Amino acid sequence: MPTADPSNPPDGTETVTLRAAKAALRTRIRAARAVPEPASASRARTASALELCAGHRVIALYASAGDEPDTWPLIDALYGAGRTVLLPLLGRRPDGSVRRDPDWAQYTGRGRLRLGYASIPEPVGPGLGAKGLATATLVWCAGLAATPFGDRLGTGGGWYDRALPFAAPEALIAVLLRDSEVLPTLPVEPFDRPVDAIVTETRALRAARE
């Protein structure tokens, strides 16, 4: 299903219906993710993701937590290969204030991490601000599902909806999923940013725009 046309936003009733459909789908996917996947699946996904990263020097990723596909082998492999890896800053600022806008920092190794919001690890280095994302030519964003057309179902917090507008226009936007999370259609809203590539444990897809 193609991404919704922002020039023709859904009315109130349709918005409520779309958001209810998203919530139900998130619940279903998270229930399925409660069943751990084999370690071999994670290794295969990481290997395919590394292939997609070839040629990219600055790559934005996220520190996986909970039931998300494990990004740590990918983060460490890229860092070990001398790539610049950007991770989100989610915790409070050094002065104790709440971050209102997306922020990023450069990953400089496992020993240079602190626990941020929801105990998600984040770099201790200085924040680059929302515009820091513009330096990345490949952005891996969190998600729960996607379609072959590139529509993405986010985790529900809206962080990447706010962050991705700061990505470089030519940046490749990608998502890591389980193969069962690639679905024929998804409920989408005008602000939902599509992705360009999807990597699972069995395949790598480039979005087929309609």
Side-chain angles (χ1 to χ4, degrees):
M1 182 173 67
T3 303
D5 181 358
S7 66
N8 184 28
D11 60 26
T13 301
E14 186 176 353
T15 297
V16 171
T17 301
L18 282 171
R19 293 182 180 175
K22 284 182 171 182
L25 188 53
R26 288 185 180 109
T27 298
R28 192 183 89 196
I29 292 171
R30 287 190 167 114
R33 282 187 174 185
V35 179
E37 63 179 354
S40 58
S42 181
R43 289 194 298 268
R45 185 186 299 108
T46 298
S48 292
L50 281 170
E51 290 181 8
L52 190 63
C53 291
H56 294 274
R57 298 302 305 172
V58 182
I59 299 162
L61 261 161
Y62 59 94
S64 60
D67 59 12
E68 292 177 319
D70 189 3
T71 61
W72 286 104
L74 181 58
I75 291 169
D76 289 333
L78 292 170
Y79 177 67
R83 313 290 181 85
T84 298
V85 177
L86 305 181
L87 295 182
L89 292 179
L90 304 172
R92 291 181 177 269
R93 299 181 184 279
D95 63 3
S97 62
V98 176
R99 296 181 192 275
R100 299 297 182 186
D101 299 311
D103 201 354
W104 300 84
Q106 187 171 334
Y107 175 71
T108 55
R110 297 260 187 152
R112 297 278 295 165
L113 294 171
R114 65 187 172 209
L115 295 182
Y117 173 77
S119 295
I120 297 173
E122 62 182 29
V124 299
L128 304 174
K131 293 182 179 179
L133 184 61
T135 63
T137 58
L138 172 56
V139 180
W140 293 98
C141 57
L144 289 170
T147 74
F149 302 110
D151 291 324
R152 177 185 71 98
L153 178 70
T155 56
W159 195 88
Y160 274 96
D161 293 323
R162 299 191 300 275
L164 289 177
F166 293 94
E170 69 277 8
L172 186 71
I173 311 299
V175 64
L176 296 167
L177 298 172
R178 295 188 183 189
D179 200 61
S180 59
E181 295 163 359
V182 180
L183 304 175
T185 62
L186 284 173
V188 293
E189 296 180 79
F191 55 78
D192 288 325
R193 172 78 177 265
V195 297
D196 304 303
I198 304 160
V199 172
T200 77
E201 70 275 20
T202 65
R203 50 184 167 160
L205 304 173
R206 290 296 184 114
R209 301 278 188 251
E210 283 194 344

